[in-house]
Amino acid sequence: MRNIIAFLFKTCLLLFLAGGTCLVFGQLAGILFQKGYLIQKSWDIFANPTFMISALAGILGFILGYLPNEKLNEGHAYSSDEFDEKLEHVR
């Protein structure tokens, strides 16, 4: 389940970044060419889909934070004892 949500999150992240890039470049082209309709058309085409996909990515990221991680090997897992030992040497 975690892998599916992680894949959907990454896909939404890429899509909304691409949509935001298209939105900004469309508006930038409108400013550079002094064509107001390019600014408005860029907003009309890219704004709502980009905002909806970014909201979906935020929700998926929130859900992903509450799903348990896959089990790590015992050697790679973080141990609080290691941190305490290192902290003792600092004092």
Side-chain angles (χ1 to χ4, degrees):
M1 183 67 168
R2 181 177 176 80
N3 291 335
I4 293 169
I5 293 179
F7 174 76
L8 290 173
F9 171 72
K10 291 173 187 176
T11 303
C12 287
L13 183 67
L14 289 175
L15 287 174
F16 95 76
L17 288 175
T21 302
C22 291
L23 176 66
V24 168
F25 281 136
Q27 291 181 336
L28 184 63
I31 291 171
L32 291 175
F33 297 129
Q34 296 182 357
K35 304 288 183 186
Y37 69 89
L38 282 178
I39 296 171
Q40 187 62 41
K41 201 60 148 165
S42 173
W43 179 265
D44 291 341
I45 293 171
F46 295 113
N48 285 336
T50 301
F51 298 153
M52 289 190 310
I53 292 171
S54 68
L56 181 60
I59 292 168
L60 289 172
F62 182 77
I63 292 170
L64 198 57
Y66 281 98
L67 291 178
N69 291 333
E70 289 118 17
K71 286 191 172 185
L72 298 173
N73 295 335
E74 290 297 322
H76 295 98
Y78 174 75
S79 170
S80 62
D81 295 337
E82 290 180 58
F83 181 71
D84 290 338
E85 290 173 10
K86 290 179 184 177
L87 191 60
E88 289 296 325
H89 297 299
V90 174
R91 294 183 194 169

